[in-house]
Structures are given as structure tokens and as C-alpha cells.
């Protein structure tokens, strides 16, 4: 891969995740302060991510992989996305806003696969080269959060009261417009499947990998993956409103600590695999969710603000040690025949079904612990997902006992 292509792919990744980080982190606070949304309405808006994840394979499988170059579809989706972002920016009713954000997420979620496709198509050794490109996506998310807090101050108490968080959609829309145009300059990535080849829905959804559930240990892992997404949804939906309410200054910028942590622990993941094995590594990831939410439940934005910061910093362990570790485990169990199908099935189960249920539960819990004065009993809102994470931890600890995954498979991160 020459330097020009490397730079282009890095810019693509940076913008791809800058867009997501520019509006999704502050979404919960925006919905409560600007649109006065209830917990269930907020849950509905966040669940659009899950619907996008469920529908995305059809867009990729039926269109992108068969008829058009990936970079051209990427450009078109982001240009339309920029228009939808502007509509979200000017929306002042949660029902209308929901329509636009649902449309946007149906278009955005497929782009996550498309940027990977464009990148892999240019690589001779993806295992060594991809991480150096993908890291720019994490940097993009971090820069978006730092900009909102420290450059624009949209998430300050004064900024929130003035309704300035709506500007996050304008920022994301501008970035989407830039990436939309830039995408047409990316290396050509032609379709991999002949347009005349017969379409199989089972291939698109990865249903062929259901055969792996005959393995008791994989079935336990699969069920645990869905269940752990319930507490994950609480973080995405409630963390920013909670940190804002707790009085933590520059909450969006401080939440970027989670992405920095994610990058660091991704580098440490192979070390933990070799030293402790898959089961202990993934159990540590589950336990981190319970600890994080306990810290949120008993911390505050003043004297105990360090508890909130530690909770945010645990994101690297929470995410990498379960979700990334799980992807590696799935890859090792699937074999060559079912590798793609298995990864598609896990993505559908977690970001689709698991988080869809999680957002609904998080919205219901938030509404049920809303007090007479309109404030939320945040302690209970965090204790409940901490309990769920601990229950999944115990389920996995007691019933998962797979010793067949070899060290060579595990260390091929």
C-alpha cells in the first residue's frame, strides 16, 4: 500500500467515526434538554442504531456486494446522511426527529462495513496493516468529543440551557458531506459477488453459523453476548445525561477517555489472552461492567468525581475484553467455512437484538425511577445494569468451560 492510499484510508476512517462521535455521545442529553423526551422516547431514538444494524446486512448483501463499487455507495450514503443530519439539526419535535434519525441510522450502519471493505481491498496483510488504519477512527471519535467540550463548549451548563447541543448535528452533517465527496476519490473497490448469483437470505444474515450453537460452550457465549448488551445500552443511552446531571465539567470531552482506554487495552488484549486464557479475559470484561456501574451509582461530580472518571476509563476493559475478545473467539470456533457468517450472526445478535432489548429496558428503568420533580434516581438506574452484568458474569463463569481454543488461534489478533 503506497503512502497516498494509506493517507486516504486514514482520513476516511477519521471522518467515519468523527461523524458518529460528534452527535451520538451527547444524544441522550440533547433529547432530554432540547426535545424534552421521556425515557421511552429516548430509548426509541437510541434503538434506531439496532434497527440500522439489523437492516445493514441487506443493504450490503443485496446492493453493495453485487452491483456498485463500495466507495461510490459510501459516498452516496454519506451525502444523503448529511441532508438527514441537517433535518435533525432543525427538528424541534421528538416524533419528527425520530423519523430522521431512523432514516439516518439505516444509511449509516452499512458504512461501517463499507469503510472496512475499502480498506481491506488495498491491503496485502490485513492482520498487520488494518490496525494502523482503524486507529484513526478512534482518534476521530476522540477529537469530536474534545471539540464539543473544549473548543465549542456546547455541553457546558450554559450551552445546554441555550440548546447549543443541536449544533452537534450540524457538525456531524458537515463532516458527512465532506466524507461523501471525499469517498469518490478513494481507491476503486468493485463488487465481490456477481449480480447474477442467487441471493440467499441465510448468507446475508449469517444464519448458516447457527450450526455452531450445537456446541454448548458457543451457545453459552452467544447467549451471554446478547445479555451483556443490555448493560451496554445503559451506557450509550444514559451516561452523558447522568454525567451532565452529576455536575462533571466537560462531560463529552471526558467521555473520550473511554476511547483512549479502548485503544490502550486493545494493545494489551493479546497479553491477557496468553497469560490468562479466553475465559478469564472475557470474565474480566463482564466484571468491569458491574464495577463501572457501581462507581457511577455511588460517585458524583464533586468530591467523588474520580469514581466517575475511573468508570469512564474502564470502557477499554468493558468493550475490548468482551466484544473484541468475543469476535476473536467466534473466528476461532467458526472455521474457514463459517467465518463471515459467524461474525455476521454475532453482530446481528449483539448490536441488533441485544442492544435493541437493552435500549428498551434502559428507557423503561429511567422512566420508572423518575421522581416527582422530574429528576432521575440515577443510583438505581446504574445499580440495575450492574446487577445484570454480574448475573451474566456468573452465568458465563459457571457454564462456559471451553478449553479447545488453541493459543495460536487466540493470539492471532
Amino acid at each position: 500500500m503506497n503512502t497516498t492510499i494509506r493517507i486516504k484510508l486514514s482520513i476516511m476512517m477519521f471522518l467515519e467515526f468523527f461523524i458518529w462521535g460528534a452527535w451520538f455521545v451527547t444524544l441522550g442529553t440533547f433529547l432530554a434538554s432540547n426535545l424534552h423526551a421521556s425515557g421511552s422516547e429516548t430509548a426509541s431514538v437510541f434503538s434506531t442504531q439496532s434497527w440500522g444494524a439489523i437492516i445493514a446486512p441487506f443493504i450490503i448483501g443485496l446492493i453493495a456486494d453485487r452491483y456498485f463499487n463500495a466507495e461510490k455507495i459510501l459516498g452516496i450514503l454519506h451525502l444523503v446522511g448529511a441532508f438527514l443530519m441537517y433535518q435533525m439539526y432543525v427538528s424541534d419535535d421528538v416524533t419528527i426527529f425520530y423519523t430522521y434519525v431512523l432514516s439516518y441510522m439505516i444509511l449509516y450502519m452499512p458504512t461501517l462495513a463499507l469503510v472496512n471493505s475499502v480498506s481491506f481491498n488495498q491491503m496485502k496483510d490485513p492482520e498487520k496493516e488494518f490496525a494502523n488504519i482503524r486507529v484513526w477512527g478512534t482518534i476521530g471519535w476522540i477529537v469530536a468529543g474534545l471539540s464539543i467540550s473544549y473548543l465549542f463548549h456546547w455541553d457546558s451548563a450554559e450551552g445546554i440551557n441555550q440548546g447549543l447541543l443541536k449544533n452537534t448535528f450540524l457538525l456531524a452533517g458537515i463532516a458527512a458531506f465532506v466524507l461523501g465527496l471525499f469517498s469518490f476519490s478513494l481507491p476503486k473497490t468493485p463488487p465481490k459477488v456477481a449480480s447474477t448469483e442467487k441471493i440467499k437470505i441465510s448468507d446475508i444474515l449469517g444464519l448458516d453459523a447457527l450450526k455452531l450453537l450445537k456446541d454448548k460452550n458457543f451457545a453459552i457465549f452467544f447467549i451471554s453476548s446478547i445479555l451483556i448488551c443490555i448493560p451496554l445500552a445503559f451506557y450509550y443511552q444514559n451516561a452523558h445525561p447522568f454525567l451532565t446531571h452529576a455536575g462533571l465539567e466537560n462531560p463529552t470531552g471526558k467521555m473520550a477517555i473511554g476511547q483512549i482506554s479502548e485503544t490502550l487495552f486493545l494493545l494489551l488484549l493479546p497479553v491477557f489472552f496468553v497469560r490468562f486464557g479466553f475465559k478469564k479475559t472475557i470474565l474480566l470484561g463482564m466484571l468491569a461492567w458491574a464495577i463501572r456501574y457501581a462507581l457511577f451509582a455511588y460517585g458524583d461530580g464533586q468530591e467523588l468525581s474520580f469514581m466517575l472518571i475511573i468508570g469512564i476509563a474502564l470502557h477499554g476493559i468493558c468493550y475490548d475484553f468482551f466484544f473484541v475478545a468475543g469476535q476473536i473467539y467466534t473466528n476461532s470456533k467458526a472455521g474457514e467455512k463459517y467465518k463471515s457468517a459467524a461474525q455476521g450472526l454475532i453482530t446481528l445478535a449483539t448490536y441488533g437484538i441485544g442492544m435493541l432489548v437493552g435500549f428498551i429496558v434502559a428507557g423503561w428503568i429511567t422512566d420508572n425511577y423518575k421522581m416527582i420533580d422530574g429528576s432521575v434516581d440515577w443510583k438505581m438506574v446504574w445499580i440495575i445494569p450492574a446487577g445484570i452484568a454480574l448475573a451474566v458474569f456468573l452465568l458465563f463463569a459457571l457454564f462456559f468451560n471451553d478449553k479447545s481454543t488453541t493459543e495460536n488461534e487466540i493470539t492471532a489478533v
Side-chain angles (χ1 to χ4, degrees), residues 186-197:
L186 292 170
K188 296 185 184 301
T189 310
K192 300 295 185 184
V193 180
S195 59
T196 55
E197 190 171 319

Side-chain angles (χ1 to χ4, degrees), residues 148-226:
I148 290 169
S149 282
Y150 299 104
L151 180 61
F152 301 116
H153 306 290
W154 292 335
D155 63 345
S156 65
E158 183 181 355
I160 291 172
N161 289 333
Q162 293 176 359
L164 298 184
L165 279 180
K166 75 172 188 176
N167 293 330
T168 59
F169 303 105
L170 190 60
L171 177 65
I174 292 171
F177 182 75
V178 172
L179 180 53
L181 295 179
F182 180 75
S183 295
F184 292 99
S185 72
L186 292 170
K188 296 185 184 301
T189 310
K192 300 295 185 184
V193 180
S195 59
T196 55
E197 190 171 319
K198 187 178 179 181
I199 300 171
K200 291 176 64 179
I201 299 300
S202 61
D203 289 342
I204 292 174
L205 297 179
L207 298 182
D208 285 343
L210 286 173
K211 297 172 185 177
L212 296 173
L213 296 178
K214 293 178 181 178
D215 180 335
K216 187 203 87 169
N217 288 298
F218 188 83
I220 294 297
F221 163 72
F222 185 79
I223 294 169
S224 299
S225 297
I226 294 174

Side-chain angles (χ1 to χ4, degrees), residues 101-363:
V101 75
L102 175 62
S103 302
Y104 179 81
M105 290 307 271
I106 289 173
L107 297 182
Y108 178 80
M109 295 307 286
T111 68
L112 297 173
L114 288 171
V115 294
N116 288 345
S117 178
V118 172
S119 298
F120 287 137
N121 196 58
Q122 299 302 313
M123 297 176 183
K124 295 180 180 178
D125 190 351
E127 287 188 3
K128 292 183 179 179
E129 296 177 279
F130 183 68
N132 294 328
I133 299 297
R134 176 59 182 81
V135 71
W136 284 99
T138 303
I139 293 171
W141 186 293
I142 293 170
V143 170
L146 295 177
S147 299
I148 290 169
S149 282
Y150 299 104
L151 180 61
F152 301 116
H153 306 290
W154 292 335
D155 63 345
S156 65
E158 183 181 355
I160 291 172
N161 289 333
Q162 293 176 359
L164 298 184
L165 279 180
K166 75 172 188 176
N167 293 330
T168 59
F169 303 105
L170 190 60
L171 177 65
I174 292 171
F177 182 75
V178 172
L179 180 53
L181 295 179
F182 180 75
S183 295
F184 292 99
S185 72
L186 292 170
K188 296 185 184 301
T189 310
K192 300 295 185 184
V193 180
S195 59
T196 55
E197 190 171 319
K198 187 178 179 181
I199 300 171
K200 291 176 64 179
I201 299 300
S202 61
D203 289 342
I204 292 174
L205 297 179
L207 298 182
D208 285 343
L210 286 173
K211 297 172 185 177
L212 296 173
L213 296 178
K214 293 178 181 178
D215 180 335
K216 187 203 87 169
N217 288 298
F218 188 83
I220 294 297
F221 163 72
F222 185 79
I223 294 169
S224 299
S225 297
I226 294 174
L227 293 177
I228 204 68
C229 283
I230 297 176
L232 172 61
F234 274 79
Y235 182 74
Y236 284 146
Q237 187 165 309
N238 288 329
H240 195 276
F242 161 69
L243 295 172
T244 302
H245 180 267
L248 191 70
E249 291 186 4
N250 303 308
T252 315
K254 287 189 170 71
M255 284 184 71
I257 294 171
Q259 276 61 52
I260 297 172
S261 166
E262 184 182 327
T263 303
L264 294 175
F265 279 103
L266 190 60
L267 298 175
L268 292 173
L269 185 59
V271 177
F272 275 82
F273 266 149
V274 173
R275 188 169 182 130
F276 302 107
F278 171 74
K279 182 176 180 178
K280 289 181 180 178
T281 300
I282 207 166
L283 281 172
L284 181 58
M286 293 177 178
L287 187 60
W289 283 105
I291 295 172
R292 155 186 264 187
Y293 290 152
L295 289 168
F296 280 1
Y298 293 100
D300 60 47
Q302 285 74 48
E303 291 84 0
L304 300 178
S305 60
F306 71 93
M307 295 174 69
L308 305 184
I309 298 297
I310 293 172
I312 295 170
L314 282 173
H315 183 74
I317 299 177
C318 291
Y319 188 84
D320 292 338
F321 283 28
F322 187 88
F323 289 95
V324 178
Q327 290 168 359
I328 296 169
Y329 172 72
T330 300
N331 188 70
S332 71
K333 296 298 290 183
E336 289 299 325
K337 184 176 181 181
Y338 296 116
K339 277 187 178 181
S340 296
Q343 294 294 344
L345 181 64
I346 286 294
T347 300
L348 179 66
T350 53
Y351 284 96
I353 299 168
M355 290 194 67
L356 182 61
V357 173
F359 287 131
I360 293 171
V361 172

Side-chain angles (χ1 to χ4, degrees), residues 332-411:
S332 71
K333 296 298 290 183
E336 289 299 325
K337 184 176 181 181
Y338 296 116
K339 277 187 178 181
S340 296
Q343 294 294 344
L345 181 64
I346 286 294
T347 300
L348 179 66
T350 53
Y351 284 96
I353 299 168
M355 290 194 67
L356 182 61
V357 173
F359 287 131
I360 293 171
V361 172
W364 183 80
I365 294 296
T366 304
D367 277 341
N368 275 270
Y369 284 97
K370 192 167 282 188
M371 308 208 248
I372 297 175
D373 62 358
S375 62
V376 176
D377 182 356
W378 287 110
K379 181 178 179 180
M380 288 305 301
V381 167
W382 294 122
I383 286 293
I384 291 171
I388 296 172
L390 192 59
V392 180
F393 171 88
L394 293 174
L395 168 71
F396 196 80
L398 292 173
F399 296 103
F400 184 90
N401 191 31
D402 188 356
K403 297 181 180 179
S404 64
T405 307
T406 68
E407 184 176 300
N408 288 336
E409 288 171 329
I410 265 173
T411 53

